[in-house]
């Protein structure tokens, strides 16, 4: 018995119709913003990345209409625009939530508990990778390196950092996002929606009062190498010396108590991140060769 192409899910129909245009008022507003973006570059083609962020800020993801708009503004083909929009993972290709929650599952974050965090968030939220909760609040995804290995495991929300996470702290984080409670990242300005984030990434100023001042700088762990290079005294070791046992206190050194500036987030994990995987605690547990 044979099956038809339609029964096999194969489409042999007409090519997809051209994308619909934006309403006149929306297009006029976007064209004004686009002119400002294009004027920043000696070659207009270089404006494609921020223009994709601009159209993403309009609808929450990069639509066919948005790509057609970018092509029209820059006098490119839609194929050229699509090639770029599909290459970079920061551009969403389907509707997504107000908060993009990305769990790093690259090597260091994974072994420190990132895999456990991602698995528990999927179960807790009832969604898979790249899927959005029914209330439209949270889109969950696993992502590659967040360039924050010194704070592993790391979760990002709309590209703001939440460091040293555990499954418990990550679940509390997404619950607060869904309930509309105040959420403060470990580093950076307070959260805004994904659409607002996209507009900032397009190169427009963050107009929220005080947001720029909140952005801060690198955290203490990130600056440790610089401080050592300058000859500054290092704080107590995070990992015990190899020649000592796991219970030996650092010698000739005061215990380092974190300052409030080292834990700015209301959602930092309440304990060492290794607790997210109790079977694999951080630090050596025996001498080499034993």
């Amino acid at each position: 018995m044979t099956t038809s192409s339609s029964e096999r899910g194969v489409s042999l129909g007409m090519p997809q119709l051209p994308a619909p245009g934006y309403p006149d008022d929306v297009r006029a507003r976007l064209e004004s913003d686009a002119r400002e973006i294009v004027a920043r570059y000696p070659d207009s083609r270089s404006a494609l990345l921020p223009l994709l962020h601009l159209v993403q800020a309009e609808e929450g993801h990069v639509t066919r209409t948005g790509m057609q708009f970018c092509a029209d503004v820059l006098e490119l083909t839609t194929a050229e625009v699509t090639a770029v929009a599909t290459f970079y993972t920061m551009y969403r290709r389907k509707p997504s939530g107000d908060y993009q929650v990305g769990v790093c599952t690259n090597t260091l974050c994974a072994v420190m508990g990132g895999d456990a965090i991602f698995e528990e968030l999927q179960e807790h939220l009832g969604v898979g990778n790249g899927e959005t909760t029914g209330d439209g609040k949270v889109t969950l995804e696993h992502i590659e390196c967040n360039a924050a290995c010194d704070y592993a495991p790391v979760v990002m929300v709309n590209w703001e950092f939440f460091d040293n996470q555990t499954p418990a702290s990550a679940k509390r984080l997404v619950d607060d996002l869904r309930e509309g409670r105040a959420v403060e990242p470990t580093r950076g300005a307070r959260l805004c929606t994904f659409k607002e984030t996209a507009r900032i990434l397009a190169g427009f100023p963050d107009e929220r009062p005080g947001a720029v001042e909140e952005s801060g700088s690198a955290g203490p762990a990130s600056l440790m190498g610089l401080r050592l290079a300058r000859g500054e005294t290092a704080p107590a070791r995070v990992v015990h010396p190899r020649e000592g046992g796991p219970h030996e206190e650092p010698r000739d050194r005061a215990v380092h108590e974190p300052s409030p500036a080292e834990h700015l987030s209301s959602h930092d994990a309440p304990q060492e991140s290794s607790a997210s995987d109790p079977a694999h605690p951080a630090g050596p547990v025996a001498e080499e060769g034993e």
Side-chain angles (χ1 to χ4, degrees):
M1 179 179 177
T2 60
T3 57
S4 67
S5 60
S6 59
E7 290 173 324
R8 295 193 302 268
V10 178
S11 175
L12 300 178
M14 294 293 292
Q16 193 173 32
L17 294 174
Y22 286 119
D24 291 343
D25 59 330
V26 174
R27 186 176 181 90
R29 172 168 48 80
L30 290 178
E31 285 178 341
S32 176
D33 288 339
R35 285 193 293 271
E36 182 177 339
I37 291 172
V38 173
R40 303 170 189 160
Y41 300 92
D43 183 350
S44 63
R45 188 188 184 104
S46 300
L48 179 53
L49 294 180
L51 278 180
L52 285 169
H53 283 299
L54 176 67
V55 298
Q56 183 160 253
E58 186 64 31
E59 299 179 85
H61 66 294
V62 177
T63 62
R64 293 175 56 238
T65 298
M67 288 190 284
Q68 183 65 62
F69 173 82
C70 293
D72 292 343
V73 168
L74 300 177
E75 298 182 349
L76 301 173
T77 66
T78 54
E80 290 173 306
V81 175
T82 301
V84 174
T86 56
F87 180 82
Y88 293 102
T89 58
M90 291 179 74
Y91 300 121
R92 309 301 179 198
R93 296 299 309 281
K94 61 182 180 180
S96 54
D98 293 333
Y99 300 100
Q100 303 281 330
V101 176
V103 182
C104 182
T105 55
N106 213 324
T107 306
L108 184 55
C109 280
V111 300
M112 293 294 287
D115 284 344
I117 291 172
F118 184 63
E119 289 173 6
E120 292 209 24
L121 283 183
Q122 288 185 93
E123 181 178 354
H124 183 67
L125 295 172
V127 298
N129 182 43
E131 295 180 352
T132 303
T133 54
D135 57 11
K137 293 291 186 180
V138 170
T139 297
L140 178 68
E141 63 175 349
H142 76 79
I143 51 181
E144 294 302 317
C145 185
N146 280 324
C149 303
D150 39 356
Y151 292 102
V154 172
V155 173
M156 295 194 83
V157 181
N158 293 351
W159 310 117
E160 299 290 355
F161 287 103
F162 291 81
D163 301 326
N164 302 314
Q165 293 295 293
T166 66
S169 65
K171 286 188 284 189
R172 188 174 71 250
L173 169 60
V174 297
D175 286 346
D176 285 348
L177 291 173
R178 298 183 72 183
E179 294 297 328
R181 290 189 282 266
V183 170
E184 298 177 5
T186 306
R187 295 166 279 149
R190 60 192 183 277
L191 290 181
C192 56
T193 66
F194 184 66
K195 288 183 179 180
E196 293 169 328
T197 301
R199 183 169 177 81
I200 295 170
L201 291 174
F204 293 96
D206 188 341
E207 298 178 350
R208 297 174 297 162
V212 174
E213 290 75 12
E214 293 170 357
S215 297
S217 60
S222 303
L223 297 175
M224 183 54 61
L226 176 62
R227 290 173 178 170
L228 291 174
R230 289 175 174 172
E232 299 177 13
T233 303
R237 294 174 66 99
V238 176
V239 179
H240 295 284
R242 186 171 294 277
E243 65 271 19
H247 304 295
E248 180 181 348
E249 294 296 328
R251 295 187 293 268
D252 303 323
R253 199 170 284 169
V255 176
H256 174 63
E257 294 293 339
S259 68
E262 292 182 52
H263 295 288
L264 303 180
S265 173
S266 59
H267 290 78
D268 271 356
Q271 51 193 326
E272 292 187 16
S273 56
S274 59
S276 62
D277 189 1
H280 299 87
V285 296
E287 297 288 343
E288 286 188 8
E290 292 185 8

